[in-house]
Amino acid sequence: MGNGILALAQAYEILFVAVLVILAVFLMLSLVRAIIGPRVADRIVAINMMGTQTLAIIAILAVMKQEGYLVDICLIYAMTSFLAVIVLCKVYMGVYRQRKEGKEEEEETEDGGY
């Protein structure tokens, strides 16, 4: 009976390592998406995706190593990642509005103010 539990623990260890490797590959692909864009919205979504993947990696490590403090770190990272995406969206919307208002003012001056 003890041998079966050991085999199950080894199977879980292999599964966790495989999932961590897959998540690391996806994290690198998300980084590529964040770099090449092409739009700012694509970059913001990629950064959010990277944060979520990092959360999953930390949670899996918490289960693998049986360390409870990693769950606390995971929660703190989740809040920080959420706030970072909100700030990025807010900044992007402000820049977008400024550009839109600037284009409207240019069109008004080209039309002679009418």
Side-chain angles (χ1 to χ4, degrees):
M1 177 129 168
N3 197 14
I5 293 174
L6 184 62
L8 185 62
Q10 288 175 338
Y12 274 125
E13 188 78 19
I14 292 169
L15 176 69
F16 288 150
V17 170
V19 170
L20 285 174
V21 168
I22 291 169
L23 282 172
V25 170
F26 287 159
L27 193 64
M28 293 300 130
L29 292 174
S30 297
L31 180 63
V32 169
R33 171 50 64 189
I35 291 171
I36 64 173
R39 294 182 303 260
V40 176
D42 296 330
R43 291 183 175 109
I44 291 173
V45 169
I47 291 169
N48 189 22
M49 201 167 26
M50 288 171 61
T52 303
Q53 291 166 354
T54 305
L55 288 171
I57 289 171
I58 294 171
I60 291 170
L61 286 173
V63 172
M64 274 181 69
K65 302 299 180 185
Q66 297 177 351
E67 297 288 343
Y69 70 90
L70 286 175
V71 177
D72 296 335
I73 291 171
C74 190
L75 289 171
I76 292 169
Y77 189 82
M79 290 185 285
T80 306
S81 177
F82 173 73
L83 287 175
V85 170
I86 294 298
V87 168
L88 283 172
C89 288
K90 185 75 172 168
V91 168
Y92 172 66
M93 290 305 295
V95 169
Y96 175 76
R97 285 185 185 143
Q98 284 181 345
R99 286 183 184 169
K100 187 176 178 182
E101 290 172 358
K103 286 182 182 179
E104 289 175 357
E105 290 175 2
E106 286 178 12
E107 289 175 0
E108 288 178 4
T109 56
E110 289 175 3
D111 293 337
Y114 298 109

